[in-house]
Amino acid sequence: MKANIGVVGLAVMGQNLALNIARNGYAVAVYNRTAERTKKFVEERVKGEKIFPSFDIQHFVDSIEKPRKIILMVKAGSPVDEIIEELLPYLEKGDLLIDAGNSHYADTNERLERLSHHGILYLGMGVSGGEYGALHGPSIMPGGSLEAYKMVQDVLTKIAAKTEDGPCCTYVGNGSAGHFVKMVHNGIEYSIMQSISEIYDIMRKVLKMNSAEIGRVFEEWNKGELGSFLVEITYKIMNYMDEETNRPLVELILDKAEQKGTGKWTAQAALDLGVPTPSLNVAVFARTISHFKEQRIQLSKIFGEKKMAHVDKSIVKDLEKSLLFNMFLSFSQGLWLIHEASNAYNYNIDLLEVLRIWKGGCIIRAKLLDFLRNILKDNPQNINLLASDLAMNFVKEKLPSVLRVSSIARESGLPTPVLNNSIDYLFSLTEENLPANLIQAQRDFFGAHTFERIDKEGTFHVEWQELE
Ligand SMILES: NC(=O)c1ccc[n+]([C@@H]2O[C@H](COP(=O)([O-])OP(=O)(O)OC[C@H]3O[C@@H](n4cnc5c(N)ncnc54)[C@H](OP(=O)(O)O)[C@@H]3O)[C@@H](O)[C@H]2O)c1
């Protein structure tokens, strides 16, 4: 009997995805570069599922029915190219490779092009939901040719998370659309995680709340408008005790945030495409700054003690509204970036579908997504969501709370970069007259870069000073 599909790469994600596919009734061939991992997987985790291990790449390819469909779940970067080169000699025209890792979208474009010369179909597929999602139902973002997607549509929609709006999988668009959308998903994820951390910081330092109290607040919030995966895991983290010390584990974790690059790529793509995503960008820098622990210790001593603002717990309501404000504007910036990329790269992405498949199984799933979909449904051109009374009323209603929280953080010397950048994003976009006229004058002054005028058509330059 041949397998219906193959999975290469048996670290956490590959193992769980293979099990998920097998539990949905498919026979799955599996292969991993290091044989030991394959053996361990089969011995310890396969319990009657139709999973066929291979320890040789040719045997692996031969064990899959034609046209072959092979999911690559290996480390992003050069490992993807290496495994493609190893597979190529055994593949035939019409076979399909699916890169389900977090590959950079430019790499996906290059691989699509390269493999098309061999007659091999290719999908760049974002998968969100971590190891739990991969096993129980992730959010799946495949991009490439529609013909390639149709070959695996059944299996992908079966293994995806389900919501009342259907399976969390859709054909995202042409070329590297799937990986681009997954990348921006991660950029939004960085921003929301940083927002939650900023609010947590105010709770613990200004309000002097302990982790259990903070956990209770996040648990309450999770029942309301803020309901989301990231808020849910936050209260679970607050409640998790370290067995050795009997203290909340979160308080014992070193404050240096790691990153694998998708947040940085999102910021780079936004800068390349000229789309304002300040909240997403500063969330990356916040992680970067966190790494300078030794410098921070040294400078904190020179700076001196920070005096926390005197406020009571009545501001918890303001903190909730601030987080909603940040969440909304993080999505706003991410959607705008996807829209511009879709135009620039001919992805042909349906933003409503993207919001739909983020509703379940994924790290940024949130109740707020239904609200966003309602806004966009009424006006599909409202690409950053702000151009509607519904959206503007939502952010304006939160604004007094947001400004209070920002000012409490400023007064206390606490960094809240996402909160402040979200405020400035809103203030800038809603400002008819920005001081960019002065910047244009300065540019023309020192570089003869020219400027336009508000009172007549044309491009102008003046000699601002005598050259001599
Ligand atoms: N972890 C998550 O929550 C998550 C969520 C979404 C997406 N992703 C993405 O999914 C992919 C897999 O993630 P992961 O965390 O399961 O694993 P990972 O640590 O990113 O990668 C390990 C896997 O890649 C294989 N590999 C590394 N270099 C290789 C090479 N040169 N040739 C062949 N195979 C090679 C390893 O094989 P060996 O056993 O031989 O070393 C192992 O199977 C990544 O792109 C990741 O970014 C991860």
Side-chain angles (χ1 to χ4, degrees):
M1 180 192 180
K2 295 261 186 195
N4 307 112
I5 194 163
V7 174
V8 178
L10 293 175
V12 284
M13 292 298 285
Q15 287 190 18
N16 287 353
L17 206 66
L19 285 169
N20 185 356
I21 298 170
R23 288 174 190 170
N24 274 286
Y26 297 90
V28 187
V30 293
Y31 172 80
N32 191 70
R33 178 183 61 175
T34 309
E36 204 45 45
R37 216 198 270 268
T38 311
K39 281 189 203 138
K40 220 165 165 263
F41 168 57
V42 174
E43 274 164 27
E44 292 174 8
R45 300 198 62 199
V46 177
K47 308 253 170 346
E49 292 92 352
K50 282 192 200 133
I51 290 188
F52 310 149
S54 282
F55 300 92
D56 163 286
I57 202 118
Q58 182 174 6
H59 177 266
F60 167 74
V61 174
D62 286 345
S63 70
I64 305 166
E65 68 187 14
K66 296 178 189 174
R68 301 178 185 93
K69 302 155 202 90
I70 299 175
I71 297 177
L72 312 179
M73 220 2 154
V74 298
K75 205 176 180 66
S78 59
V80 179
D81 292 310
E82 285 166 35
I83 204 75
I84 289 174
E85 287 312 310
E86 280 181 53
L87 284 164
L88 255 183
Y90 309 108
L91 297 177
E92 292 168 37
K93 278 195 169 58
D95 286 348
L96 166 64
L97 291 182
I98 304 156
D99 174 14
N102 279 336
S103 292
H104 191 280
Y105 66 97
D107 290 343
T108 302
N109 284 332
E110 191 273 319
R111 288 165 190 150
L112 257 162
E113 167 72 17
R114 179 154 45 97
L115 285 164
S116 71
H117 298 302
H118 297 271
I120 306 294
L121 296 161
Y122 196 73
L123 287 174
M125 184 169 91
V127 176
S128 173
E131 48 182 316
Y132 183 92
L135 185 62
H136 298 287
S139 170
I140 308 181
M141 299 154 245
S145 73
L146 188 58
E147 177 199 0
Y149 175 67
K150 293 274 180 212
M151 287 170 70
V152 279
Q153 182 173 7
D154 283 350
V155 57
L156 295 182
T157 45
K158 266 195 189 138
I159 65 165
K162 310 286 182 306
T163 72
E164 67 282 6
D165 293 309
C168 295
C169 173
T170 195
Y171 169 66
V172 174
N174 301 315
S176 54
H179 275 146
F180 194 93
V181 166
K182 173 66 191 343
M183 176 191 76
V184 178
H185 158 292
N186 284 28
I188 295 169
E189 175 185 306
Y190 273 50
S191 183
I192 296 175
M193 288 168 74
Q194 175 63 26
S195 308
I196 292 175
S197 304
E198 292 171 10
I199 299 295
Y200 157 71
D201 212 24
I202 294 171
M203 283 179 174
R204 66 175 176 164
K205 292 182 184 155
V206 180
L207 296 179
K208 312 268 186 296
M209 293 165 71
N210 63 35
S211 296
E213 286 174 296
I214 296 173
R216 280 195 288 281
V217 172
F218 275 98
E219 190 167 1
E220 271 313 298
W221 287 356
N222 193 48
K223 293 176 192 156
E225 268 183 292
L226 271 174
S228 57
F229 176 78
L230 288 168
V231 168
E232 182 185 322
I233 65 165
T234 301
Y235 83 72
K236 291 181 175 165
I237 288 169
M238 292 299 148
N239 294 335
Y240 191 95
M241 301 302 281
D242 174 50
E243 280 183 12
E244 229 176 286
T245 59
N246 205 29
R247 284 179 59 189
L249 181 60
V250 67
E251 295 173 14
L252 300 167
I253 295 179
L254 182 67
D255 57 335
K256 279 184 176 181
E258 299 293 336
Q259 48 183 314
K260 280 192 167 171
T262 43
K264 181 183 81 175
W265 297 344
T266 306
Q268 286 171 333
L271 290 168
D272 287 344
L273 288 164
V275 183
T277 56
S279 309
L280 278 49
N281 298 18
V282 291
V284 183
F285 277 125
R287 291 195 189 190
T288 308
I289 290 182
S290 79
H291 255 252
F292 293 90
K293 178 77 178 176
E294 291 71 26
Q295 283 91 330
R296 289 193 284 117
I297 292 173
Q298 191 199 2
L299 292 174
S300 72
K301 290 193 178 117
I302 305 174
F303 188 86
E305 194 192 345
K306 293 182 179 178
K307 293 202 172 47
M308 296 299 116
H310 289 289
V311 284
D312 61 31
K313 290 199 183 128
S314 62
I315 67 149
V316 166
K317 195 74 206 152
D318 296 319
L319 296 175
E320 182 181 19
K321 289 189 179 187
S322 298
L323 193 46
L324 273 165
F325 178 89
N326 278 344
M327 240 193 219
F328 181 89
L329 292 176
S330 300
F331 278 114
S332 153
Q333 294 166 43
L335 280 190
W336 191 355
L337 177 55
I338 292 173
H339 174 81
E340 294 301 336
S342 183
N343 284 345
Y345 306 138
N346 298 315
Y347 285 151
N348 203 17
I349 295 171
D350 179 344
L351 292 180
L352 271 171
E353 270 293 273
V354 169
L355 292 175
R356 183 186 69 75
I357 63 168
W358 284 349
K359 280 188 60 178
C362 89
I363 307 292
I364 57 171
R365 72 168 165 73
K367 283 186 196 152
L368 204 59
L369 286 165
D370 276 332
F371 179 59
L372 307 187
R373 291 174 75 221
N374 278 340
I375 295 171
L376 198 60
K377 214 158 36 196
D378 289 343
N379 176 9
Q381 295 314 308
N382 186 3
I383 39 127
N384 61 20
L385 304 168
L386 284 169
S388 76
D389 288 342
L390 202 58
M392 213 44 101
N393 289 340
F394 177 88
V395 289
K396 277 178 81 177
E397 190 271 327
K398 314 273 170 305
L399 202 51
S401 292
V402 170
L403 295 177
R404 210 168 297 137
V405 171
S406 170
S407 117
I408 290 166
R410 300 284 81 175
E411 194 187 330
S412 309
L414 296 180
T416 48
V418 167
L419 182 65
N420 293 328
N421 275 276
S422 294
I423 295 170
D424 282 333
Y425 170 78
L426 178 71
F427 283 176
S428 299
L429 280 176
T430 52
E431 181 53 56
E432 189 181 337
N433 288 314
L434 286 170
N437 53 330
L438 176 56
I439 290 171
Q440 283 299 80
Q442 290 164 335
R443 292 178 74 248
D444 192 56
F445 190 114
F446 62 71
H449 292 304
T450 75
F451 55 87
E452 290 176 89
R453 295 176 59 120
I454 55 172
D455 56 349
K456 49 185 172 183
E457 293 281 311
T459 306
F460 302 90
H461 165 63
V462 296
E463 294 301 331
W464 294 87
Q465 63 184 346
E466 293 206 1
L467 279 177
E468 253 341 81

